[in-house]
Amino acid sequence: MTPQMNKTDEKMKSVKAACDTAPDGPKKEASLKHYQAAEKAQNAKNDTEANKELDAARHALA
């Protein structure tokens, strides 16, 4: 596992936890959409896109 993949894995866990604990509503829905897109990107081995979507997910919760 490369250091970048490890960072992405850690970021995925962090954002998932934030999504799970967020109150229901449009912010949570938007965040979950970005998280799901990040999962797809990660499965496709595209860490750059995954990180972009994770950042968007965090921003949606702000």
Side-chain angles (χ1 to χ4, degrees):
M1 184 178 293
T2 66
Q4 178 65 31
M5 287 177 67
N6 192 25
K7 281 177 75 173
T8 303
D9 289 341
E10 289 175 19
K11 198 171 185 178
M12 291 285 291
K13 290 176 188 172
S14 173
V15 172
K16 176 67 170 148
C19 288
D20 288 346
T21 59
D24 290 338
K27 287 183 177 185
K28 182 174 184 170
E29 289 175 27
S31 180
L32 286 172
K33 285 181 184 178
H34 286 293
Y35 179 79
Q36 290 168 346
E39 283 182 316
K40 285 183 182 180
Q42 189 183 37
N43 289 337
K45 308 271 188 261
N46 186 346
D47 283 337
T48 302
E49 184 66 21
N51 279 301
K52 179 180 158 188
E53 289 294 342
L54 291 170
D55 290 340
R58 281 189 177 156
H59 183 72
L61 287 175

